[in-house]
């Protein structure tokens, strides 16, 4: 049961800092690590309540600030099947975090218990992990105190990638059932991926070495660990930016976010022409690929390119398997390059939906297809196979050798792809498997379509909350009249497109523009930013 006196005792050690207000957003809570002790203590309590509410299912908690600077940290709750926390509960997280003293905190907890009809006598279990940030040690302790304050069962999963935490959460909750997702251990995760990878590439010539920039984060040791489970005859990978011990290196001029926004190779990477490389972010849930062209131009193969590669491959396998009734769809956000959307719809002939930024929106939409491929341009994404499509793929026997071989590959893909959340390590193997199968160089992969020149700028405004969007953030409703002005500008540029949205993670407004030429796109971005400012 819940002992409120005990909660108050523990809470006294974690006073809320004055003058800050916290908000559980698309990335959970994320801010300077020194402000987070009380927040994470309370997240522990909420995780336990969520577990009680869901009939003692195991809830996940990940302590990370992804691609943010090292001095930041953050925390996210993970629901039983590895999904993001249910949206309604985000409000409780915010309320708990902002309770200004222990009495208010206890009242908020009591409210949550009453409103949700939670049985306080139920057991609760929370599995948690952190990335390599130095502040993580202290914040894990705060989390553990929150859990102990409500007598939850603690499962410390140690230092892990965000997707590994999502994986293990789902494994715990499906253990011993028909829907078992795998062994709830780090080793179980590697074995599952390694076995699936071998099934797809076995017997095919190995690709040249890939260099992977791990952003000096948790992806470095974990990718090395994964590679130990995959024989060198099928994967040749070199991990660079693997220094997780030197302060200040995490995400510094490296990692997926740096490469995507700066459009250049990370610090520490020497990349000869036409060789592929990839960058992970600080918690290894995002990946982008790239190469230098023979004339030295930097070429990015971002989330849109990965989605196109994956969708093309899966569609081909489904066709070859004889299960043509299984439909495939792709989910993008407004940031997807117009050329990618054009390629997917016109060349591949696959339906594309556009949703608001944030993984939960993409994930939810992807669930509407038999096979839903979702990627944000920034490199976060995965592929979801619906339970019924999985059952059909598992059951089908196939009539021809072509059918049988395609079915075997589809089955391997279901295991290779981390279906709980975008996973840089799993996505890396997915791309490597497809490139191996197709015998493609990065340049050949890149030839599917040419990105329209694009530009993303941040504008600091006095109040970003006055910007209200609609149509998957592609149009502004407010401030009134602004969208009409944007439309007039866009019309002046060939293949022009631009949108404005308030950031969910920073106190800025983002302006995106693309157009047929670099000059046109830069000018359009600049002019739209001028309207917003
Ligand atoms: C969060 C989202 C990410 C999105 C980004 C946009 C999750 C887990 N993460 O990091 O998907 O791309 O926010 O940030 O949903 P913005 O709102 O500041 O542009
Ligand atoms: Zn991340």
């Amino acid at each position: 049961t819940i002992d409120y006196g005990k909660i108050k005792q523990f809470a006294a050690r974690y006073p809320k800092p004055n003058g800050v207000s916290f908000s559980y957003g698309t990335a959970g809570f994320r801010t300077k690590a020194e402000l987070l002790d009380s927040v994470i203590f309370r997240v522990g309590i909420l995780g336990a309540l969520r577990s009680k509410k869901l009939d003692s299912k195991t809830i996940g908690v990940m302590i990370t600030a992804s691609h943010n600077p090292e001095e930041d940290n953050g925390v996210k709750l993970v629901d039983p099947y590895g999904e993001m926390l249910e949206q309604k509960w985000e409000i409780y997280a915010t309320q708990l975090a902002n309770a200004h003293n222990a009495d208010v905190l206890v009242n908020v907890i009591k409210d949550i218990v009453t409103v949700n009809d939670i049985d306080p006598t139920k057991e609760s279990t929370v599995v948690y992990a952190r990335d390599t940030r130095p502040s993580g040690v202290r914040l894990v302790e705060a989390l553990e105190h929150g859990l102990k304050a409500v007598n939850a069962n603690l499962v410390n999963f140690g230092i892990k990638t965000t997707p590994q935490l999502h994986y293990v959460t789902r494994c715990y909750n499906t253990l011993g059932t028909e829907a078992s997702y795998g062994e709830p251990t780090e080793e179980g995760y590697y074995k599952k991926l390694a076995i699936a990878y071998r099934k797809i590439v076995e017997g095919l010539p190995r690709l040249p070495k890939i260099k992977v920039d791990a952003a000096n984060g948790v992806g470095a040791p974990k990718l090395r660990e994964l590679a130990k489970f995959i024989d060198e005859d099928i994967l040749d990978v070199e991990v660079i930016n693997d220094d997780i011990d030197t302060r200040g290196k995490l995400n510094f001029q490296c990692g997926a976010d740096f490469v995507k926004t700066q459009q250049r190779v990370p610090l520490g990477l020497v990349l000869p022409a036409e060789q592929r490389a990839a960058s992970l972010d600080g918690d290894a849930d995002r990946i982008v690929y790239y190469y230098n062209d023979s004339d030295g131009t930097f070429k990015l193969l971002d989330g849109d390119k990965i989605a196109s590669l994956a969708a093309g491959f899966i569609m081909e396998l489904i066709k070859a398997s004889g299960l043509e009734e299984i439909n495939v769809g792709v989910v993008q956000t407004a940031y997807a390059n117009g050329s990618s959307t054009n390629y997917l719809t016109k060349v591949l002939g696959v339906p594309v939906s556009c949703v608001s930024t944030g993984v939960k929106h993409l994930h939810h939409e992807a669930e509407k297809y038999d096979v839903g491929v979702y990627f944000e341009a920034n490199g976060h994404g995965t592929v979801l196979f619906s339970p019924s499509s999985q059952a059909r793929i598992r059951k089908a026997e196939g009539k021809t050798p072509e059918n049988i071989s395609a079915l075997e590959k589809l089955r391997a893909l279901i295991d290779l792809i981390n279906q709980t959340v975008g996973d840089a390590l799993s996505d890396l193997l997915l791309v490597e498997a497809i490139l191996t199968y197709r015998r493609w160089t990065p340049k050949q992969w890149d030839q599917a379509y040419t990105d329209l020149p694009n530009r993303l700028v941040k504008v600091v405004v006095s109040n970003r909350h006055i910007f209200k969007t609609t149509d998957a953030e592609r149009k502004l409703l407010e401030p009134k009249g602004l969208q009409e002005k944007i439309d007039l500008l866009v019309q002046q540029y060939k293949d022009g497109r631009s949108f404005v949205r308030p950031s969910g993670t920073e106190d800025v407004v983002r302006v995106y523009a693309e157009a047929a030429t670099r000059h046109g796109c830069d000018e359009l971005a600049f002019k739209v930013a001028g309207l917003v400012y």
Side-chain angles (χ1 to χ4, degrees):
T1 189
I2 302 175
D3 175 350
Y4 289 101
K6 188 173 178 185
I7 295 178
K8 275 192 200 173
Q9 266 174 21
F10 271 100
R13 297 168 63 178
Y14 294 100
K16 175 184 175 291
N18 285 324
V20 268
S21 97
F22 300 103
S23 156
Y24 194 99
T26 39
F29 292 111
R30 196 182 289 183
T31 185
K32 295 276 156 281
E34 71 214 38
L35 296 173
L36 278 170
D37 297 67
S38 66
V39 172
I40 292 186
F41 168 79
R42 292 151 189 223
V43 163
I45 296 176
L46 188 65
L49 294 177
R50 181 92 183 132
S51 175
K52 287 178 191 285
K53 168 69 192 172
L54 299 178
D55 212 19
S56 304
K57 289 214 164 49
T58 301
I59 297 297
V61 173
M62 183 70 201
I63 297 178
T64 176
S66 189
H67 60 274
N68 282 39
E70 188 168 293
E71 59 274 19
D72 289 4
N73 216 324
V75 66
K76 254 191 283 193
L77 285 147
V78 176
D79 264 352
Y81 298 103
E83 329 89 299
M84 303 286 164
L85 175 70
E86 185 192 318
Q87 219 155 333
K88 194 178 109 190
W89 279 60
E90 292 184 357
I91 300 160
Y92 302 146
T94 301
Q95 286 171 348
L96 285 173
N98 290 318
H100 61 269
N101 62 38
D103 290 320
V104 179
L105 178 66
V106 160
N107 285 336
V108 176
I109 297 170
K110 285 182 176 164
D111 277 352
I112 297 172
V113 169
T114 314
V115 172
N116 292 285
D117 205 10
I118 291 171
D119 176 355
T121 65
K122 283 246 157 100
E123 291 260 313
S124 59
T125 303
V126 172
V127 57
Y128 50 94
R130 66 173 177 97
D131 68 15
T132 56
R133 284 178 162 74
S135 59
V137 181
R138 193 188 80 239
L139 294 174
V140 160
E141 200 176 286
L143 178 76
E144 288 172 340
H145 284 154
L147 294 168
K148 286 176 184 164
V150 286
N151 302 319
N153 302 310
L154 283 66
V155 186
N156 187 347
F157 198 39
I159 296 179
K160 295 289 177 296
T161 70
T162 294
Q164 287 178 330
L165 188 270
H166 284 253
Y167 163 88
V168 84
T169 305
R170 178 136 159 196
C171 289
Y172 275 119
N173 290 304
T174 54
L175 207 60
T177 73
E178 214 171 278
S180 168
Y181 197 62
E183 220 179 277
T185 61
E186 186 175 342
E187 196 178 308
Y189 168 90
Y190 297 130
K191 280 189 189 152
K192 184 175 174 181
L193 296 189
I195 292 169
Y197 184 70
R198 173 166 284 285
K199 281 186 185 151
I200 301 176
V201 302
E202 183 129 65
L204 299 169
R206 186 185 72 179
L207 293 174
K209 180 198 298 237
I210 178 166
K211 291 187 184 175
V212 181
D213 151 34
N216 296 310
V218 66
K222 302 310 178 189
L223 176 53
R224 287 235 168 82
E225 214 35 57
L226 171 62
K228 284 189 201 157
F229 287 79
I230 304 176
D231 297 330
E232 263 175 58
D233 65 319
I234 52 171
L235 181 73
D236 187 6
V237 54
E238 180 185 339
V239 184
I240 64 150
N241 290 333
D242 60 347
D243 183 356
I244 57 171
D245 297 317
T246 308
R247 294 279 177 116
K249 282 197 154 189
L250 174 68
N251 295 325
F252 180 71
Q253 296 198 354
C254 60
D257 196 66
F258 172 86
V259 171
K260 168 79 184 162
T261 52
Q262 303 285 315
Q263 307 259 336
R264 57 191 163 107
V265 297
L267 196 68
L269 173 64
V270 182
L271 189 58
E274 298 192 21
Q275 288 189 19
R276 74 200 186 296
S279 285
L280 320 178
D281 73 340
D283 62 340
D285 65 351
R286 276 165 64 173
I287 185 168
V288 294
Y289 270 74
Y290 43 88
Y291 67 101
N292 285 319
D293 216 343
S294 48
D295 66 1
T297 336
F298 176 81
K299 299 278 192 172
L300 183 69
L301 295 152
D302 64 1
D304 301 340
K305 289 276 181 181
I306 298 173
S308 305
L309 183 75
F313 183 59
I314 291 169
M315 289 171 78
E316 194 177 299
L317 289 181
I318 286 180
K319 195 161 173 242
S321 73
L323 294 176
E324 274 134 333
E325 74 280 5
I326 292 183
N327 70 55
V328 181
V330 176
V331 185
Q332 300 187 312
T333 72
Y335 290 113
N337 196 277
S339 290
S340 75
T341 315
N342 195 53
Y343 171 78
L344 288 164
T345 52
K346 305 270 163 58
V347 181
L348 291 185
V350 58
V352 175
S353 353
C354 182
V355 299
S356 296
T357 302
V359 172
K360 61 187 172 209
H361 299 116
L362 288 118
H363 195 94
H364 188 69
E365 182 70 20
E367 285 176 335
K368 295 182 182 164
Y369 297 102
D370 293 335
V371 182
V373 179
Y374 76 81
F375 269 90
E376 290 191 294
N378 67 21
H380 186 107
T382 190
V383 182
L384 303 182
F385 291 81
S386 71
S388 90
S389 72
Q390 288 195 36
R392 276 181 276 171
I393 290 165
R394 293 235 154 83
K395 217 176 58 207
E397 286 171 354
K399 293 197 182 78
T400 66
E402 192 199 14
N403 290 163
I404 292 165
S405 147
L407 285 166
E408 277 166 4
K409 292 200 171 53
L410 283 170
R411 286 178 200 129
L413 276 184
I414 291 171
D415 284 344
L416 182 65
I417 297 167
N418 186 338
Q419 296 186 49
T420 64
V421 76
D423 180 340
L425 301 186
S426 157
D427 290 339
L428 173 82
L429 293 185
L430 172 66
V431 171
E432 292 298 296
I434 301 173
L435 294 181
T436 304
Y437 181 81
R438 297 228 187 275
R439 303 184 190 200
W440 274 356
T441 64
K443 195 183 170 78
Q444 285 169 301
W445 168 17
D446 200 19
Q447 271 160 0
Y449 64 86
T450 307
D451 274 329
L452 285 170
N454 58 91
R455 181 71 64 202
L456 180 61
V457 289
K458 312 186 196 193
V459 186
V460 179
V461 295
S462 50
N463 180 9
R464 76 181 201 278
H465 301 289
I466 63 167
F467 292 83
K468 301 264 187 281
T469 63
T470 184
D471 190 23
E473 303 179 315
R474 289 174 291 191
K475 292 241 156 359
L476 276 177
L477 289 171
E478 289 177 31
K480 291 258 174 305
L482 191 49
Q483 185 60 48
E484 287 72 12
K485 290 185 188 156
I486 297 171
D487 292 343
L488 282 176
L489 280 176
V490 167
Q491 280 168 24
Q492 296 165 25
Y493 297 87
K494 180 168 188 293
D495 296 332
R497 188 168 71 88
S498 179
F499 64 88
V500 173
R501 59 175 282 276
S503 161
T505 63
E506 279 183 87
D507 199 8
V508 297
V509 163
R510 302 202 195 279
V511 173
Y512 176 90
E514 64 185 35
T517 66
R518 174 89 266 159
H519 175 76
C521 141
D522 287 349
E523 196 177 271
L524 179 58
F526 181 75
K527 287 190 176 168
V528 174
L531 292 177
V532 169
Y533 187 65

